[in-house]
Every structure is written in structure tokens, then in C-alpha cells.
Amino acid sequence: MGISQEDRKMEGWLYLIRSNRLGLQFSRKRYFVLEENSLNCYKNIPTSREQDPIRSALIDSCIRVTDNGRESINRSVFFIFTLYNASNHNDQLKLGARSPEEAAGWIRSLMEAALKECPIKGENVVACSKRRWQSFRLSRSKGRSRMHSIDWTAFSSVHTDPMTSDVIAPSPWTIFGCKNGLRLFKESKDGDFGGKPWDDHPAIMAVGVVDATSEAIFQTVMSLGPSRSEWDFCFSQGRVVEHLDGHTDIIHKKLNGEWLPWGMRRRDLLLRRYWRREDDGTYVILYHSVFHQRCQPERGYVRACLKSGGYVISPVNQGKQSVVKHMLAIDWKFWKSYLFTSSAKYITIRMLARVAALRELFRAKLGNCPASDFSSGELTRERLQKIVKEDIKEEVQSVGETSMSLDSTEEPQKYLMRTSTGGSFIQLNDPADEFFDFPDESDYEEHETMRPSSEEQRQPKLSAAAGFVKRLHDLAVQKRGYVDLQEASLLDSASCSYGATLRKDPSCSVGCSWTTSDPSTFLIRSETYLQNQHKIKANGTLMKMVGADWLKSDKREDDLAGRPGGIVQKYAAQGGNEFFFIVNIQVPGSTTYSLALYYMMDTPMENVPLLRSFVEGDDAFRNSRFKLIPYISTGSWIVKQSVGKKACLVGQALEINYFRGKNYLELGVDIGSSTVARGVVSLVLGYLTNLVIEMAFLVQGNTEEELPEFLLGTCRLNHLDAAKAVSIPPW
């Protein structure tokens, strides 16, 4: 994979992910070239620019890219992403890369290519939903299309900002010691910085520097195979109990007893694991304990409860090294109360020493050569990728040994898979080609023990949203404050006054209420941002927050502002010049929850050109500009890490349905349209009653005329409760 600086194109090997008529997935290795906004597919590396591709597709402003995460297909691990047409979700292309870095590079380049086709404000354009677009599926090429030259630096909306946070907030951690080269931190609560005694289950974090790329460390930490015993001295055995989606699974870890205090029985952990990659190359891995019917407590083990924990792996020194943060808050389930505080703290700190073991592992495998000895990060990455491949290969060998006990009827199929040759790309629908494909040599080097059960392989795969909700419904998380939204009881409501169902409380002392956040908490682009990437504190908001709704229904509820009896229609009936901006965040499930935030301004739209362009523009322009800055000001570490504090272009990650009325614009943000977003929101919902959530909304400025940016509005949501959501009556 690489990006050519001369003609600004990206190319490399990817895998086409297909499903046969039985719902079983298979892969095809193909060489892809993304040049300007044309995606071309070849069987082999093209020998000249004049060579015609076997398939090609146009990347335009209607194209969306979804990160599907990590998935095992025929015992090979891929990092999947899907391209689809926003006007026709059935028109899609599923691709897989061998590493998360490759997948992230392709996702970024494809998003940039799509943004090149975004309409510029002031042009006479038509929304993509009303245009007749060429089918996005790769079509046969009858000749290489020549595109006009495009300025790849014109759009900065998908370029990574140098700042890691767009929120000014105090650190909740205070250092209390240093051991084995690791700094140790304790989580401070309610502004306490060491004055109070330790909690029974303290949240402790270890921070260290590892001489390896963040990708290599991520692959090592995610592995549950025998190679984990090379650095994880707590680990005995591990397996994947259930694969929920590409970013979430349920894992079971058995801990050995050699490192535990004398007389303490062995522990095990049943965890829900979630991961994601940030734009700057940082990997976040989060864990918390769950209950699962397929993994009951075993004799000889005491099941500990991980309240929250995980890793944050951030690249430094041009990617040659990484800062690893490892946090744990565990209830070790002691039966003697006097052992609580002292032993829990001691054992947790001992377990955090795995960061030092991880550091020494990479030092040993790099031959004790410091990272500064390498002229670039490429050599380091190549050697570390080789290390990871060897680890995965060891895991495959253990899988092969266990698979020998399978039914003998599977042997002919295995033999055919190894001996038959792959068909052409044109014959993908041929039955023989669906089942049997000759694997590449690298295919056997990157297998993993994360194999789906034979029962799962035979079942046609559910849609991502339906499958996620079904699996989430079967889980009950063992932690205080967890709320299962799928089983929350429905409350009848005779009427619904839209814009007033959630209580306002400026004092922030009442649960399930809202108020506004301090605008100076959030950072926005300054007037000189295009020259120096400098951001400044926001000093106010353009609009005033006038109401909020916390609703539930058996279906998705759109266009709340257009319904009679609400605050928007009341102002419209009075004939005033007020304009409303509504953000309706929709959480899907057997019960769909909607959080609607209402903002109002009485300034003429002509006085705010950027907002006018946004309101009157088409969906493609809106999706490329609408930005959200999230912030969890009160809550668990695991939720704060999951949500983050970085601004994001919502329309590039989620489906947004726009509803334009006489005096309003409503944005329906569908959380269910993204695997990553569903994982984050499901985690947040589990801690919902313990959280204070703050958000800021703005339209991104990309030109000198549009800078400095300004906030449309802010909000602060205090301890929302699913049981207090208002049912929407039929209308």
C-alpha cells in the first residue's frame, strides 16, 4: 500500500469480501488503485498506466465509508471497511485489509476522494438523493477513464488536527508513585487529589514508553494465543466467547495463580472488549465485565469483576515509539473484608506491571536496539509486523491441532480449498468459485484463534444493526449503574409537548435534566488556522438552547419539529422570524430512544453566510461540514476514553437525515448506521445514570472567509435515565 506523491494516487492489495448463497463469506485478493476519484481493480499489479482494470467504480459525494473493524473469515483476520451509496444502501462494496493501518489509510483516502466531489457553496447543485448516479458496484471497464486534475489539499475536513483534544478540562489523575520505569496514577474523584483514603476498588493507571509502533503493540495486546505468555505473566488461557461485531467481542481470560498472594484462589475474567483506532494512529482498547450464558463460572476459579479498564496506545517520536497507558479498576471478590483495600491495591498495581513486561518484550525482539538507531519508522514497522505474524502463526498451529478432532466429512472440503485454483473476478457468482479459492501464502501466516462456531458459519448473517441489538439483548453487565435499554419498561404518556419533555435545571442538581455548557470549554478554529492550525476558546454561541426531548418509541421518530403542539410550531404560528436548529440523536433497538436538542436564533440568516450555506445547501455539503465536540465531564474512565474529546464530522461517520421546514432545520442522526458508534453508545448507555454529558455543535470553517469558527450551541445533560424517557403517542 502506498500513496504516490507524483500523481496523488493510492494503491495496494486488498481483499474483496463476498458472501455465497449460503451466507458464508469468502475473500478475493485484488490490486486496487485509487486515482483522483476513480477506484480501479486489477488481478495483478498493473504494468503500465494504459492497462485497463477489470472493474472500476466512481467515488463521488454520495459515497460513504464505514469502518467494520476486525473480522475473521476462513481463519484469516481482516480489517474490514464498506463503501456504499447513500442513496441506495444495497449498492455497496466490502473490502478487507491485512492491518488496521492499511485499512485506516484506505478509509481516509476514499473519504478525501468523496469530499473532492462535494459541492462548493454558491454553486447550483442538486442533492445526491435526487440525482441519477452511476451504480457504485465495481463495473467492467471498457477503457481507462481520464479525470481532470484535482487539488488534494483543497479540502481539510478529513485531515487530522494536530491537537488531541478540543476540550479544556482538568486531568482526573494524580501521580502517587513510580515503579519499574512506570509512572503510577490514581483516579481522583470530585476534585480530590490525594487527601482521601483509597477506595475499595481503586482505579489505577500505569504509563510507560514502548519501543514499537502502536499497531504492533495493538496486535500483541489483542492476541489471546500462546504468544501472550511471553509478556503477560498474569495470563493462563484465553478465548473469544462471542464475536459481536468488528469492534466488539466477548472474551474469557483465565489468570494463573503464581503471581497472586499466597493462599488466594485463581481468578478469571469474562469481559466485553471494544477497540477503535483514532485518526492520529492511537489505539483504544476498553474492557468491562459481563455475564454470558455460554461462559458460566468454573470450578477452581473465582470470577473477578473488572469495573473498567483498558489500554490507550499513542504513537510518539514519528511513530517509532508508543506511550502505553494501562488502567484497571477491579473487584477481586475477596471474602475477607479486611483484605479489601490493601490487597486490592497491591494486586492491581502488580497486574499493571504488564506494561513493563510489554516494553521488555519488544526490546528483546528488536535486539536491544533503541528506536533512535533506525533511520525511519519503516524498518521498525517491518520487523514488528514480522513478529506479530509469527505470534499469529503459533496460534494457528494450536487451532490446527484441535481441528483434527472434527468430523471427517470436512476433510474433502479442506483438501479442495488447498488445491483448487481461484476463478476470474468476472465469475464471482459461479458456485464453484464461491466455495473454493486458492489461498495466498500470506493467508496461512495471519490466522487467528478467533474462529466463529460452525453453527454461526452455517447461519445467514444478520444485518449489522439487527445482529448487534440481538446480541446486546442477551448480555447483562455486572456493574453498578448499568441499564439495559432493551428491557426498560414503557411508560404511557397521554400527550407529548415536543421541546419540553426533558427538564431544564441550570443548577445541575436534578437528575435527568439539561442546561447549557460553558462555551469556553471548547476549542474552535482560529482566524489563522489554515496557516498555523491554531485553535482558540469559544467565547459564546450563535443560538440559544430553548428545549430538549428525551423520547422512546417502537420506531425511529423523524421530523419532531414539524409536529403540531411542539415549541417550533408554536413559534411558527405566531409568525415571528425565529429560526430553529434541532439535533435529533436516534439510538436504535427494540425500543428506539431519541435525544432532541432545540436551538433558536432571531438573527437574520443573511447575517451568517456560513450557516445560510449550510441550511440551504444539499446533503453532501451539510455532511462535510456539521461538526460535534463531545465531552464526558463526569463519569467512568472507560466511558471517557470511549467517547473522547475530539471534534468529529458527524456526517462522515453516521447517516444524517435532514428535514427542512419554514422556520427550522432538523438533523436526524442515526447512531445505528455505524458499527463504531453503536459500540460507543452501547457502552455509554450502560453507565448513563452516572454520567454528565456535554456537547457543542458547529459548522466547520474551511476557508479564510469562514474563519474563525463559531459555536451554534452547547448542552449539558445531567444523569439521563432511560426509565424516564417519554413515550411518543401515535400521530
Side-chain angles (χ1 to χ4, degrees):
M1 183 191 75
I3 299 179
S4 172
Q5 299 296 329
E6 182 179 352
D7 48 11
R8 307 301 298 175
K9 70 177 182 180
M10 185 166 186
E11 56 186 329
W13 290 102
L14 290 174
Y15 292 79
L16 278 167
I17 308 300
R18 302 288 192 184
S19 296
N20 59 28
R21 285 170 291 185
L22 297 181
L24 301 178
Q25 293 192 97
F26 62 96
S27 62
R28 285 286 179 274
K29 188 175 182 180
R30 295 292 182 261
Y31 196 83
F32 282 83
V33 177
L34 176 63
E35 188 170 7
E36 297 175 350
N37 67 332
S38 178
L39 181 63
N40 300 314
C41 174
Y42 302 85
K43 276 190 175 182
N44 298 296
I45 300 176
T47 56
S48 67
R49 295 178 62 90
E50 286 70 29
Q51 181 176 338
D52 291 336
I54 57 175
R55 292 287 190 275
S56 64
L58 179 66
I59 308 298
D60 52 40
S61 59
C62 279
I63 301 305
R64 301 288 182 271
V65 186
T66 300
D67 180 6
N68 300 114
R70 187 169 176 259
E71 190 172 342
S72 177
I73 300 175
N74 295 329
R75 295 174 57 188
S76 295
V77 176
F78 297 99
F79 292 85
I80 309 294
F81 56 96
T82 302
L83 291 81
Y84 66 93
N85 195 321
S87 59
N88 179 14
H89 285 206
N90 293 324
D91 188 14
Q92 60 180 244
L93 183 68
K94 192 173 184 180
L95 300 173
R98 279 304 195 184
S99 74
E101 295 297 323
E102 289 183 7
W106 278 101
I107 291 173
R108 177 177 296 278
S109 296
L110 289 165
M111 290 175 63
E112 287 178 345
L115 285 174
K116 301 305 173 293
E117 294 297 308
C118 282
I120 307 300
K121 66 173 186 175
E123 291 185 0
N124 184 17
V125 294
V126 183
C128 68
S129 59
K130 299 180 181 179
R131 293 166 60 179
R132 296 188 61 185
W133 295 92
Q134 174 185 346
S135 174
F136 178 65
R137 295 184 186 276
L138 288 176
S139 57
R140 297 186 188 182
S141 175
K142 296 183 179 180
R144 189 178 182 88
S145 59
R146 300 295 179 184
M147 303 292 179
H148 60 277
S149 177
I150 295 177
D151 181 7
W152 283 71
T153 62
F155 291 81
S156 59
S157 54
V158 296
H159 294 179
T160 304
D161 285 327
M163 302 186 67
T164 58
S165 173
D166 289 312
V167 175
I168 300 175
S171 173
W173 298 94
T174 180
I175 191 169
F176 69 88
C178 184
K179 186 176 182 180
N180 200 12
L182 305 177
R183 289 180 296 154
L184 300 176
F185 294 83
K186 168 192 172 185
E187 186 176 25
S188 301
K189 298 181 179 179
D190 301 325
D192 168 51
F193 286 90
K196 295 183 180 180
W198 288 77
D199 296 334
D200 290 342
H201 316 299
I204 307 175
M205 180 170 64
V207 180
V209 178
V210 179
D211 293 333
T213 64
S214 58
E215 178 189 358
I217 299 173
F218 166 76
Q219 298 274 24
T220 303
V221 171
M222 291 288 286
S223 172
L224 296 177
S227 62
R228 191 179 183 94
S229 60
E230 295 182 13
W231 64 275
D232 190 349
F233 53 83
C234 306
F235 180 79
S236 175
Q237 296 179 27
R239 66 185 179 97
V240 175
V241 177
E242 183 176 4
H243 182 70
L244 300 181
D245 58 50
H247 289 269
T248 314
D249 51 21
I250 306 297
I251 62 173
H252 181 221
K253 289 184 178 181
K254 292 183 179 180
L255 308 181
N256 63 51
E258 297 178 358
W259 64 283
L260 296 172
W262 180 85
M264 183 175 175
R265 294 174 61 188
R266 291 181 297 177
R267 262 53 176 177
D268 69 341
L269 292 164
L270 182 61
L271 306 172
R272 184 174 185 266
R273 179 175 65 177
Y274 165 82
W275 74 273
R276 76 170 185 273
R277 181 190 181 277
E278 303 286 2
D279 290 338
D280 63 352
T282 296
Y283 288 89
V284 179
I285 308 173
L286 304 175
Y287 305 92
H288 65 254
S289 286
V290 296
F291 172 82
H292 199 285
Q293 293 181 350
R294 279 195 257 159
C295 189
Q296 301 291 336
E298 298 182 15
R299 187 174 182 179
Y301 287 88
V302 175
R303 182 151 296 176
C305 178
L306 179 62
K307 295 180 176 295
S308 67
Y311 296 85
V312 178
I313 308 166
S314 304
V316 294
N317 192 17
Q318 299 179 345
K320 302 173 187 177
Q321 297 175 302
S322 300
V323 174
V324 179
K325 300 178 182 178
H326 184 19
M327 180 270 182
L328 293 172
I330 304 183
D331 179 1
W332 291 102
K333 298 297 181 181
F334 292 114
W335 65 276
K336 293 183 179 180
S337 59
Y338 63 84
L339 293 176
F340 268 14
T341 304
S342 59
S343 292
K345 173 185 173 183
Y346 167 79
I347 298 173
T348 302
I349 293 176
R350 181 77 186 276
M351 196 173 191
L352 290 171
R354 293 183 297 181
V355 177
L358 194 65
R359 178 189 64 205
E360 297 305 316
L361 169 73
F362 281 98
R363 280 186 179 177
K365 291 196 173 184
L366 286 172
N368 291 321
C369 297
S372 58
D373 290 349
F374 298 105
S375 58
S376 68
E378 296 179 359
L379 179 59
T380 307
R381 181 177 178 182
E382 289 177 1
R383 296 185 65 179
L384 292 175
Q385 283 182 339
K386 184 177 180 180
I387 292 170
V388 174
K389 288 182 180 180
E390 291 174 353
D391 292 343
I392 297 177
K393 191 172 182 179
E394 291 178 4
E395 297 177 24
V396 173
Q397 292 175 354
S398 64
V399 173
E401 293 173 359
T402 57
S403 63
M404 294 296 292
S405 60
L406 296 176
D407 193 281
S408 60
T409 57
E410 297 183 5
E411 293 182 2
Q413 181 172 338
K414 290 182 181 179
Y415 177 77
L416 287 172
M417 289 180 66
R418 292 179 178 269
T419 58
S420 60
T421 58
S424 68
F425 187 78
I426 301 175
Q427 299 174 342
L428 276 176
N429 293 324
D430 184 78
D433 190 52
E434 287 180 351
F435 286 100
F436 313 120
D437 188 20
F438 190 81
D440 302 288
E441 293 181 2
S442 59
D443 290 352
Y444 289 108
E445 296 177 356
E446 303 188 28
H447 295 322
E448 185 172 322
T449 56
M450 187 179 65
R451 293 182 59 193
S453 64
S454 58
E455 181 180 352
E456 291 176 343
Q457 290 180 348
R458 288 191 292 267
Q459 293 292 336
K461 195 170 184 180
L462 296 173
S463 67
F468 181 84
V469 172
K470 177 181 180 298
R471 295 179 180 118
L472 187 61
H473 183 75
D474 296 333
L475 300 178
V477 181
Q478 297 175 336
K479 61 179 180 290
R480 186 177 180 182
Y482 181 79
V483 178
D484 187 355
L485 291 185
Q486 316 306 330
E487 298 179 359
S489 59
L490 294 175
L491 300 177
D492 295 331
S493 177
S495 62
C496 180
S497 179
Y498 295 102
T501 61
L502 191 63
R503 179 178 179 179
K504 181 179 181 180
D505 177 34
S507 65
C508 303
S509 59
V510 178
C512 206
S513 62
W514 70 269
T515 186
T516 56
S517 297
D518 181 4
S520 63
T521 303
F522 304 96
L523 297 176
I524 57 177
R525 294 182 174 185
S526 68
E527 191 172 2
T528 60
Y529 178 82
L530 298 180
Q531 288 76 40
N532 54 21
Q533 286 74 51
H534 178 61
K535 291 190 175 183
I536 57 175
K537 293 181 181 180
N539 58 9
T541 61
L542 177 67
M543 299 182 177
K544 177 183 178 182
M545 187 173 181
V546 294
D549 284 327
W550 180 226
L551 308 171
K552 59 185 174 183
S553 175
D554 58 355
K555 59 183 178 66
R556 195 177 78 184
E557 299 291 342
D558 292 322
D559 198 12
L560 300 178
R563 302 186 182 187
I567 184 174
V568 177
Q569 293 305 312
K570 288 180 181 179
Y571 274 88
Q574 297 173 3
N577 61 350
E578 295 85 1
F579 181 81
F580 287 84
F581 186 89
I582 303 96
V583 181
N584 181 9
I585 302 174
Q586 302 160 333
V587 183
S590 57
T591 298
T592 298
Y593 288 79
S594 297
L595 175 65
L597 309 172
Y598 295 76
Y599 297 91
M600 183 187 74
M601 75 171 193
D602 51 14
T603 304
M605 191 76 68
E606 292 75 15
N607 295 347
V608 192
L610 180 57
L611 180 61
R612 180 181 180 182
S613 299
F614 183 85
V615 172
E616 298 179 357
D618 72 346
D619 291 357
F621 178 76
R622 293 166 176 166
N623 288 335
S624 68
R625 295 301 188 94
F626 179 60
K627 192 156 66 173
L628 160 69
I629 306 176
Y631 173 43
I632 305 295
S633 56
T634 301
S636 170
W637 176 87
I638 189 173
V639 179
K640 291 181 178 180
Q641 289 297 326
S642 178
V643 174
K645 296 182 290 186
K646 184 69 178 172
C648 64
L649 289 171
V650 181
Q652 299 302 315
L654 300 172
E655 284 293 316
I656 302 180
N657 299 299
Y658 298 90
F659 302 91
R660 179 74 163 94
K662 179 181 178 181
N663 65 331
Y664 70 89
L665 176 66
E666 179 175 326
L667 286 67
V669 182
D670 183 9
I671 300 297
S673 60
S674 167
T675 303
V676 177
R678 286 198 305 271
V680 172
V681 171
S682 66
L683 184 62
V684 171
L685 293 177
Y687 295 85
L688 193 58
T689 56
N690 297 327
L691 301 180
V692 175
I693 305 170
E694 301 188 39
M695 291 182 285
F697 304 99
L698 64 157
V699 179
Q700 179 168 277
N702 284 347
T703 65
E704 292 184 359
E705 294 77 14
E706 298 169 348
L707 296 175
E709 292 179 330
F710 55 87
L711 296 182
L712 297 177
T714 65
C715 74
R716 177 186 172 102
L717 305 169
N718 302 311
H719 308 289
L720 292 179
D721 189 346
K724 295 181 180 179
V726 177
S727 296
I728 298 180
W731 72 288

